[in-house]
């Protein structure tokens, strides 16, 4: 039934419907944030939930679209968070709106630059080196932030202006999702997916594999950086330990549980997995166990990329 | 000048000389057959021609331009396209998308165009879709255009690989056992399609095939390989009479 309706819809109608969904989504946000439906604790979850959605959708570009395992997404988030926070803290002569807008973009761009710098040497190599290098990168970034003065070191950075609102978060979510979707329908996006599907064939079709791997990686880092800026301006305090390995794994769990390459899946998984632990607050150990179990189960049993990724990690140089 | 001119081509893996002293000259428009028993080095020659492997010796010229040393993507852009013996489709992309990937270098809109859905993006995408659909039609794959490649029956997967290679707009098309695993009817149909495509698109084809009869029926020239070296080459009638070829194929 839905399929039939979908078939009948022309491009224009579909676009109108998408805009409708966006508006309804925003109205829902306003109701939840301003109304009496949620208690304070749940209301305070709205912004972090949105940030998690951005992180999940953006990591999906690396892991789902491109098919490369990245274990350092929180590192890019950290770069964005600190860049944005330092900017708004020191550039006080700008009024909040332009200051925050610039901070968000700056955080994204800085993260993307790091994405390119890390991607360039690593993504040239064949095999799953990216997982190892991104893991190391995430930890190094954290140590560097810890050691620097401008970031406040281990004490953290405080008195960051609290500019983040659900409206800002909502806007960035929309941009992230639209970019991810449009990427899939562009020649660049098709090139990225073809690399995941069969690198040798992609090369034979004229796709410059390294270039498009770096592109996907940089776009993902860009949005993670923006998510970091939103995060930094939500609580007014930043600590390097927030962006540790566990945070990267949490994001990866959203992507894997939601289904590799599925934007909708990432959104749903990020939503469920942000709210669920709060509801089961006391069961924090259980949460970790659930995460680990879910990840293993999904990767082993779900046909598709999870499985392929494991087998790729375990073996093999294919014959051409 | 020949379209493809290969001189003294060779590669060894460790101690194994997989290909040695191979010469090959293909004229524009020719349908050239590459045959030989299992492990003779046929696929290896394709991998050398397309930059998957770098030769340990010899030269490869396409229209007089060197191909060795270039990457597979560069070679594709120079006008050489191929199919794979063990099918390599983009399995979880649709049939149409598989072919659209091959247009990668024929459209040039920027990432920003794609993000903003500019006029330029829309015009280019529409054109690619149209061109891709046209190629699918030639291979009778139009009805399956929205099917995931992995869900195609085997014979159609082989066809899709050829369609995809053709979509890169090559001057030289390399087909690695395109009829492998097909029944005689399917094989006949495929060979007719290949002939049609060759005329319609005016391209040159180098074809690997196991079936001697099939190859000699449609190819204008043959090169027979055995243990990585040239056993005989020339027009089919003469090559097939060559006693060495006869022993290589029927001897053991
Ligand atoms: N990457 C490689 N490393 C080591 N040896 C290789 C490699 N590629 C090919 N060979 C060897 O080179 C020889 C030629 O192999 P090739 O695949 O070219 O044969 P072929 O003529 O295509 O055979 P078939 O008809 O079975 O497809 C074989 O002995 C093979 O084992
Ligand atoms: Mg072979």
């Amino acid at each position: 039934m839905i399929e039939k309706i979908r078939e009948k819809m022309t491009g224009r109608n579909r676009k109108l419907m998408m805009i409708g969904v966006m508006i309804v989504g925003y109205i829902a946000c306003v109701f939840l944030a301003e109304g009496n439906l949620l208690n304070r604790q749940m209301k305070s979850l709205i912004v972090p939930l949105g940030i998690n959605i951005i992180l999940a959708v953006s990591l999906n570009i690396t892991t789902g679209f491109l098919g490369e395992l990245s274990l350092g997404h929180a590192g890019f988030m950290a770069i964005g968070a600190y860049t944005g926070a330092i900017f708004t803290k020191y550039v006080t002569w700008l009024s909040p709106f332009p200051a925050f807008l610039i901070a968000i973009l700056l955080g994204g761009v800085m993260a993307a630059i790091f994405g390119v710098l890390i991607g360039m040497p690593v993504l040239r190599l064949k095999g799953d080196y990216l997982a190892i290098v991104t893991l190391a990168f995430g930890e190094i970034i954290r140590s560097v932030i810890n050691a620097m003065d401008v970031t406040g070191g281990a004490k953290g950075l405080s008195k960051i202006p609290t500019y983040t609102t659900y409206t800002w978060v909502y806007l960035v979510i929309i941009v992230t999702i639209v970019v991810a979707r449009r990427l899939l329908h562009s020649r660049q996006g098709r090139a990225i997916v073809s690399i995941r599907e069969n690198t040798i064939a992609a090369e034979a079709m004229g796709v410059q594999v390294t270039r498009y791997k770096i592109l996907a990686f940089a776009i993902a880092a860009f949005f993670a950086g923006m998510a970091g800026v939103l995060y930094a301006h939500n609580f007014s305090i930043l600590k390097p330990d927030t962006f540790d390995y566990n945070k990267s794994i949490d994001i990866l769990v959203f992507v894997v549980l939601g289904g590799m390459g599925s934007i909708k899946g990432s959104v749903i998984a990020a939503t469920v997995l942000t709210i669920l632990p709060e509801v089961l607050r006391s069961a924090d150990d259980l949460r970790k166990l659930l995460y680990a179990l879910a990840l293993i189960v999904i990767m082993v049993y779900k046909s598709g990329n999870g499985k392929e990724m494991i087998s790729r990690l375990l073996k093999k140089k294919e014959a051409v | 000048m020949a379209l493809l001119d290969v001189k003294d081509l060779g590669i060894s893996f460790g101690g194994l000389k997989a290909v040695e002293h191979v010469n090959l000259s293909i004229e524009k428009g020719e349908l050239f057959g590459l045959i030989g028993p299992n492990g003779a080095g046929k696929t290896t020659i394709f991998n050398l021609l397309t930059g998957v492997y770098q030769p340990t010796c010899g030269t490869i010229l396409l229209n007089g331009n060197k191909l060795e040393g270039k990457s597979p993507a560069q070679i594709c852009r120079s006008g050489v396209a191929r199919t794979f013996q063990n099918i390599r489709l983009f399995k979880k992309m649709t049939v149409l998308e598989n072919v659209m990937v091959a247009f990668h270098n024929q459209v040039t809109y920027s990432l920003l165009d794609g993000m903003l859905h500019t006029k330029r993006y829309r015009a280019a995408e529409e054109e690619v879709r149209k061109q891709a659909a046209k190629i699918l039609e030639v291979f009778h794959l139009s009805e399956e255009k929205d099917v995931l490649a992995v869900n195609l029956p085997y014979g159609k997967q082989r066809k899709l690989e050829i369609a995809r290679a053709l979509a890169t707009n090559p001057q030289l098309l390399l087909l690695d056992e395109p009829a492998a695993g097909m029944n005689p009817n399917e094989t006949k149909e495929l060979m007719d399609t290949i002939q049609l495509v060759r005329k319609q698109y005016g391209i040159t084809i180098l074809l690997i095939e196991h079936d001697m009869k099939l190859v000699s029926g449609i190819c204008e020239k043959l090169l027979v390989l055995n243990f990585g070296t040239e056993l005989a080459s020339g027009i089919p009638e003469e090559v097939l009479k060559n006693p060495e070829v006869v022993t290589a194929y029927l001897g053991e």
Side-chain angles (χ1 to χ4, degrees), chain A residues 110-125:
Chain A
M110 195 63 102
I113 290 173
F114 272 82
V116 172
L117 290 179
I118 295 158
M120 269 209 291
V122 181
L123 291 169
R124 251 169 230 292
L125 306 171

Side-chain angles (χ1 to χ4, degrees), chain B residues 56-86:
Chain B
T56 31
C57 74
T59 54
I60 306 164
L61 298 179
L62 183 78
N63 286 323
N65 300 316
K66 251 173 51 165
L67 288 190
E68 74 268 17
K70 287 191 179 178
S71 73
Q74 284 170 327
I75 290 175
C76 171
R77 267 174 293 162
S78 321
V80 181
R82 72 176 289 184
T83 64
F84 296 89
Q85 185 171 0
N86 49 341

Side-chain angles (χ1 to χ4, degrees), chain A residues 179 182 186 188, chain B residues 109-118 121:
Chain A
V179 166
R182 292 196 165 180
S186 68
Q188 290 85 359
Chain B
Y109 63 80
S110 71
L111 186 63
L112 203 62
D113 283 318
M115 296 298 108
L116 301 176
H117 283 192
T118 58
Y121 162 86

Side-chain angles (χ1 to χ4, degrees), chain A residues 26 45 47 58 76 85 92 103 115 117 127 134 138-140 142 148 152 199 202 224 232 264 283 300 318:
Chain A
Y26 183 66
L45 268 186
V47 166
S58 61
F76 294 117
T92 46
L117 290 179
T134 47
E139 295 303 293
I140 290 168
R142 208 158 54 87
M148 288 203 316
T199 309
K264 212 183 289 164
V300 173
E318 270 179 274

Side-chain angles (χ1 to χ4, degrees), chain B residues 9 23 74 86 89 124 199:
Chain B
L9 190 65
N23 298 296
Q74 284 170 327
N86 49 341
L89 288 170
K199 294 218 177 71

Side-chain angles (χ1 to χ4, degrees), chain B residues 2-198:
Chain B
L3 175 70
L4 182 77
D5 199 4
V6 173
K7 289 225 167 65
D8 195 34
L9 190 65
I11 186 171
S12 39
F13 300 107
L16 176 82
K17 286 180 176 154
V19 170
E20 219 186 347
H21 307 310
V22 167
N23 298 296
L24 188 61
S25 179
I26 304 181
E27 297 298 328
K28 194 166 160 25
E30 246 171 12
L31 177 49
F32 200 110
L34 183 56
I35 58 175
N38 283 106
K42 305 181 294 293
T43 300
T44 303
I45 289 184
F46 272 22
N47 286 334
L48 288 167
L49 294 179
T50 54
V52 176
Y53 299 151
Q54 289 304 327
T56 31
C57 74
T59 54
I60 306 164
L61 298 179
L62 183 78
N63 286 323
N65 300 316
K66 251 173 51 165
L67 288 190
E68 74 268 17
K70 287 191 179 178
S71 73
Q74 284 170 327
I75 290 175
C76 171
R77 267 174 293 162
S78 321
V80 181
R82 72 176 289 184
T83 64
F84 296 89
Q85 185 171 0
N86 49 341
I87 303 175
R88 286 183 172 275
L89 288 170
F90 307 126
K91 287 186 189 159
K92 286 203 196 127
M93 297 174 97
T94 66
V95 167
L96 185 69
E97 283 168 342
N98 265 270
V99 177
M100 285 171 82
V101 169
F103 281 95
H104 182 73
N105 287 310
Q106 294 161 69
V107 273
T108 52
Y109 63 80
S110 71
L111 186 63
L112 203 62
D113 283 318
M115 296 298 108
L116 301 176
H117 283 192
T118 58
K119 212 171 194 176
R120 191 156 170 225
Y121 162 86
R122 278 176 283 143
E125 281 294 293
E126 197 176 314
E127 183 60 25
V128 167
R129 255 165 217 281
K130 226 167 65 192
Q131 297 284 342
K134 225 162 87 187
I135 291 181
L136 288 180
E137 210 168 295
V138 175
F139 289 87
H140 308 293
L141 286 166
S142 297
E143 290 201 353
E144 289 90 349
K145 78 177 168 49
D146 294 320
V147 176
L148 292 185
V150 66
N151 294 332
L152 281 182
Y154 179 82
K156 296 201 165 181
Q157 291 196 8
R158 284 237 171 260
K159 282 190 188 171
L160 177 56
E161 265 223 329
I162 304 175
R164 186 181 65 176
L166 204 59
T168 65
N169 192 22
Q171 300 176 55
L172 177 65
L173 181 60
L174 311 178
L175 302 175
D176 199 343
E177 303 201 21
M182 288 188 176
N183 67 35
N185 282 335
E186 288 173 322
T187 305
K188 167 89 176 55
E189 195 209 314
L190 181 72
M191 290 306 156
D192 290 345
T193 312
I194 290 175
Q195 291 282 26
L196 178 84
V197 161
R198 182 185 160 213

